[in-house]
């Protein structure tokens, strides 16, 4: 966790590791967003009823929430509908880049990982929230890759982290409607396949 005593210092080893993964996950999804061709924004994705535009808009909205929740201590009710609807505007790539950088900076503020954030599920530790955001970015990077024909192999470290992160609450994710029910992975499946299967993806 971050050192919040005296003059704010850099995060400790655990904090550095989490922030490094968050940055890597943001960069991974950013790479895929920048690879979207002009005629692919309406393409289907593995996420039921979501186009590429819808998927990128969802992740952009998720990043826009981070400064409000982590830096400002806002609640879901206090933010209201500020991030509802289309957050991509006429330049989806630039909108994603701006939101991603705001999320990155909010989590990197001294003491950010030690804070409490107010999510729709209730009060939560900011480092747990950061872990959720990493996993969300990683899995949706695969969704976007599949949709646009980009490289589908995800970084091993991010896959392993996401699998450990999601396993304890995977059953609850399907109830949100954002993830399909888990499917049985094939025998001898690698970690990436297990992760995707856990979240209802048929590889």
């Amino acid at each position: 966790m971050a050192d919040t005593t005296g003059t704010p210092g850099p995060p400790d080893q655990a904090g550095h590791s989490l922030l490094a993964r968050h940055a890597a996950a943001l960069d991974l999804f950013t790479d895929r967003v920048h690879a979207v061709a002009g005629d692919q924004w309406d393409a289907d994705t593995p996420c039921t009823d979501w186009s590429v535009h819808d998927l990128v808009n969802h992740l952009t909205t998720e990043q826009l929430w981070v400064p409000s929740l982590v830096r400002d201590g806002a609640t879901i009710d206090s933010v209201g509908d500020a991030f509802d609807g289309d957050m991509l505007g006429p330049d989806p790539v630039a909108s994603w880049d701006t939101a991603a950088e705001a999320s990155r900076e909010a989590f990197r503020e001294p003491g950010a990982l030690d804070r409490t954030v107010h999510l729709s599920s209730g009060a939560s530790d900011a480092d747990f929230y950061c872990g959720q955001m990493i996993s969300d970015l990683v899995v949706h990077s695969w969704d976007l890759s599949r949709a646009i024909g980009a490289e589908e192999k995800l970084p091993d470290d991010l896959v392993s982290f996401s699998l450990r992160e999601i396993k304890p609450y995977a059953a609850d994710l399907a109830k949100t409607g954002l993830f399909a029910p888990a499917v049985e992975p094939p025998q001898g499946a690698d970690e990436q396949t297990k992760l995707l299967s856990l979240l209802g993806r048929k590889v």
Side-chain angles (χ1 to χ4, degrees):
M1 300 291 285
D3 177 10
T4 57
T5 60
T7 301
D12 64 14
Q13 186 173 357
H16 272 305
S17 179
L18 193 64
L19 291 174
R21 287 191 176 103
H22 181 251
L26 281 172
D27 291 344
L28 177 65
F29 195 79
T30 296
D31 179 73
R32 299 306 189 268
V33 172
H34 281 250
V36 177
D39 62 353
Q40 290 182 315
W41 289 99
D42 291 328
D44 293 334
T45 73
C47 303
T48 305
D49 298 329
W50 276 4
S51 66
V52 167
H53 182 282
D54 296 331
L55 176 60
V56 176
N57 186 63
H58 167 70
L59 269 295
T60 299
T61 300
E62 291 292 299
Q63 308 320 307
L64 290 172
W65 273 97
V66 175
S68 295
L69 296 176
V70 175
R71 184 191 63 212
D72 303 335
T75 65
I76 302 296
D77 288 341
S78 67
V79 174
D81 61 0
F83 303 130
D84 288 356
D86 180 19
M87 294 288 106
L88 297 183
D91 191 340
V93 176
S95 296
W96 161 259
D97 287 345
T98 299
E101 188 58 28
S103 174
R104 189 192 311 264
E105 291 179 358
F107 274 123
R108 289 186 63 85
E109 285 186 1
L113 295 180
D114 288 324
R115 298 171 188 161
T116 297
V117 293
H118 302 282
L119 308 178
S120 57
S121 57
S124 178
D125 293 337
D127 57 353
F128 176 74
Y129 175 46
C130 187
Q132 287 185 312
M133 295 292 286
I134 292 168
S135 301
D136 200 45
L137 285 160
V138 171
V139 173
H140 284 314
S141 290
W142 181 85
D143 292 329
L144 187 52
S145 296
R146 173 61 61 95
I148 67 173
E151 172 60 56
E152 294 182 13
K153 180 68 172 69
L154 302 170
D156 291 340
D157 176 65
L158 292 177
V159 168
S160 296
F161 173 84
S162 299
L163 191 57
R164 294 193 305 271
E165 177 74 19
I166 291 172
K167 269 186 175 180
Y169 55 82
D172 294 329
L173 290 177
K175 299 175 184 176
T176 67
L178 298 177
F179 294 96
V183 297
E184 187 69 24
Q187 187 174 4
D190 59 16
E191 282 201 317
Q192 177 170 317
T193 302
K194 290 177 181 178
L195 173 65
L196 296 171
S197 298
L198 191 63
L199 296 173
R201 272 64 173 174
K202 297 179 180 178
V203 182

